[in-house]
Amino acid sequence: MSDIRKQLGLRPIVNVSGTMTALGASIVVPDAIAAASAVMPQWVEINDLHRKASAAIAKACGAEAGFVTASASAGITLALAGAMTGADLAKVEQLPDATGMKDEVVVMMGHLTGYGASVEQAIRLAGAKVVAVGNVTDARGYQLAGRITERTAAALYVVSHHTVQYGQIPLDEFARIAHSKGVPVVADLASECDLKGFIAAGADVAIYSAHKFLGGLTAGIVAGRKDLVRATFLQNSGIGRGMKVGKESVVAAIAALEAWANRDHAGIRKTERGYLEMWAQRFAKFPGVDPRIVADPTGNPIDRLELHVDPALARITAWDLADALAAGDPPVIVRDHEAELGFFQLDPCNLHPGEEMVVAARMEAELEAARGRNTPSGRTHAQRKAARFERLLKWPD
Ligand SMILES: *Cc1c(COP(=O)(O)O)cnc(C)c1O
């Protein structure tokens, strides 16, 4: 099959970093591609299509209702807007001016992370004010209770490997406190694959990315209490219009949820485990390279290979190694958001069959080349980061 990336003059990257917007989100599953293709040439009554999606999401998530948004990020903004406006269309049209509405969103400081843009801005985009709870690494129930006032529209809870992983209030306790004050809990679960557990633990609205683990087209899935999901949907007549989702993404989300329910999860996990063990065995032979199989920090059923690199022995830093892999042929993109700490990860969940061997060969070639040099390059992580921003600001050049 011809590779459209070559026709467009794009590099044929191999993705061992995970489901990343910056790399095209995920490999869309065949059922979602087929459903999107089938609906593209047809007219549909879009709100009826959204009714069907609501039923599919409700079933998959153990929720009362569901709504497909343009992305999880849009889902956060629109769900919070819905908590502010309810089903009042005058208020829907008034946003982002929140005069006269409850306009505060409480969120733990350790949850104010980013995913390419910041959670904090997704809140403000609804016209809401961010009210931070606790300290970055320590938040307590009484602090949450103390920040909730008659102006509080919602409490936002974020589950992500990017949040602080300790010292936070567990979801069930967070929800108990919010509910005791009549405040709904909106949970950003964009990268989580447990579709039912967070609602069961107390989230009133659960937000997922359709294009991450599920392998749908780019979209967000909002599941939860019917009144809140309805209020989220009604933002289509307001601030949601600029974040609208097309029919193709809605049918693909329905198909992806169905495919997810029928997927051979155990078989896939076994295959991925084989990749990790093969890589670990091959890379451990290099001095200064310590491969460790690690579990996902938020409990997703996926393990990754974490490669700790000692520059004194390997003669290359973790970030130089990541960049060398990304610059080579074919380019291999690793999970390197913690590279300044001296390690990066290989995520096995987005590989086409055979690419695991390409990754192994490219890694061995780069480690071999490093061994042939006397010392690491001396380029600091700060210099690398600065160079990346410089390139971003030169776009489209
Ligand atoms: C990816 C991610 C998002 C953004 O999801 P999109 O669907 O790409 O908008 C938001 N929150 C978290 C925790 C994420 O991991």
Side-chain angles (χ1 to χ4, degrees):
M1 220 172 63
S2 74
D3 187 335
I4 191 168
R5 299 175 299 184
K6 288 195 180 137
Q7 294 169 36
L8 293 169
L10 296 169
R11 304 197 308 153
I13 57 169
V14 173
N15 176 15
V16 268
S17 73
T19 51
M20 299 287 163
T21 287
L23 301 178
S26 61
I27 299 169
V28 178
V29 296
D31 289 1
I33 295 173
S37 301
V39 85
M40 295 282 255
Q42 304 291 357
W43 297 103
V44 292
E45 291 166 282
I46 208 82
N47 286 350
D48 284 341
L49 177 57
H50 276 302
R51 284 187 177 91
K52 299 295 178 195
S54 176
I57 293 167
K59 178 164 171 255
C61 299
E64 292 174 8
F67 174 51
V68 180
T69 53
S71 62
S73 189
I76 296 168
T77 299
L78 299 183
L80 294 176
M84 294 163 70
T85 64
D88 183 339
L89 287 173
K91 287 183 177 165
V92 169
E93 291 179 16
Q94 187 189 307
L95 287 183
D97 172 1
T99 307
M101 300 177 214
K102 293 185 179 195
D103 66 348
E104 294 183 356
V105 174
V106 291
V107 56
M108 284 185 280
M109 199 170 283
H111 282 191
L112 284 172
T113 180
Y115 38 79
S118 75
V119 168
E120 184 267 338
Q121 190 176 28
I123 299 169
R124 284 191 293 109
L125 203 49
K129 296 191 180 77
V130 179
V131 175
V133 173
N135 302 310
V136 173
T137 55
D138 184 16
R140 302 174 186 192
Y142 69 82
Q143 294 170 332
L144 172 62
R147 299 296 262 160
I148 294 176
T149 70
E150 70 286 348
R151 299 212 61 81
T152 308
L156 181 66
Y157 197 94
V158 182
V159 179
S160 165
H161 63 278
H162 284 310
T163 64
V164 178
Q165 298 297 308
Y166 61 93
Q168 311 302 306
I169 305 169
L171 176 59
D172 52 354
E173 184 187 345
F174 187 90
R176 215 178 316 118
I177 294 165
H179 292 161
S180 75
K181 298 190 174 271
V183 170
V185 173
V186 174
D188 171 11
L189 311 166
S191 252
E192 303 311 297
C193 41
D194 178 353
L195 295 176
K196 288 187 169 150
F198 298 97
I199 289 177
D204 299 289
V205 176
I207 299 164
Y208 298 92
S209 285
H211 50 269
K212 290 183 178 174
F213 287 107
L214 292 169
L217 265 59
T218 296
I221 289 173
V222 175
R225 237 172 67 190
K226 191 183 280 187
D227 62 325
L228 291 167
V229 174
R230 178 181 292 137
T232 307
F233 161 81
L234 290 175
Q235 307 304 316
N236 271 352
S237 313
I239 61 169
R241 177 55 192 240
M243 309 174 199
K244 83 172 175 186
V245 66
K247 61 190 173 185
E248 63 285 356
S249 289
V250 182
V251 295
I254 297 171
L257 284 170
E258 242 165 68
W260 179 257
N262 299 323
R263 203 180 291 188
D264 174 15
H265 293 279
I268 291 170
R269 193 120 198 247
K270 192 155 165 257
T271 302
E272 292 176 352
R273 184 79 194 186
Y275 296 172
L276 299 183
E277 283 167 2
M278 181 268 289
W279 289 335
Q281 198 183 18
R282 286 174 68 164
F283 306 154
K285 292 182 194 134
F286 291 86
V289 175
D290 176 14
R292 306 173 195 169
I293 294 176
V294 297
D296 179 80
T298 62
N300 284 312
I302 176 170
D303 296 329
R304 302 184 177 91
L305 191 71
E306 192 164 278
L307 224 61
H308 291 254
V309 182
D310 177 353
L313 292 172
R315 299 177 189 173
I316 190 165
T317 60
W319 56 90
D320 275 349
L321 180 54
D323 283 356
L325 288 162
D329 182 22
V332 171
I333 316 290
V334 301
R335 190 176 184 86
D336 66 353
H337 56 276
E338 291 165 296
E340 67 188 295
L341 301 175
F343 64 86
F344 57 74
Q345 296 177 338
L346 305 182
D347 182 313
C349 84
N350 279 284
L351 294 174
H352 292 291
E355 287 184 337
E356 74 282 3
M357 301 309 283
V358 175
V359 171
R362 288 279 298 108
M363 183 73 74
E364 285 175 341
E366 293 302 341
L367 289 170
E368 204 60 66
R371 196 147 68 168
R373 290 190 287 267
N374 277 334
T375 53
S377 73
R379 186 181 65 140
T380 66
H381 188 267
Q383 286 168 333
R384 177 208 201 206
K385 198 169 169 179
R388 286 190 162 189
F389 282 119
E390 209 171 299
R391 179 159 161 71
L392 177 70
L393 293 176
K394 285 195 182 130
W395 187 94
D397 301 333

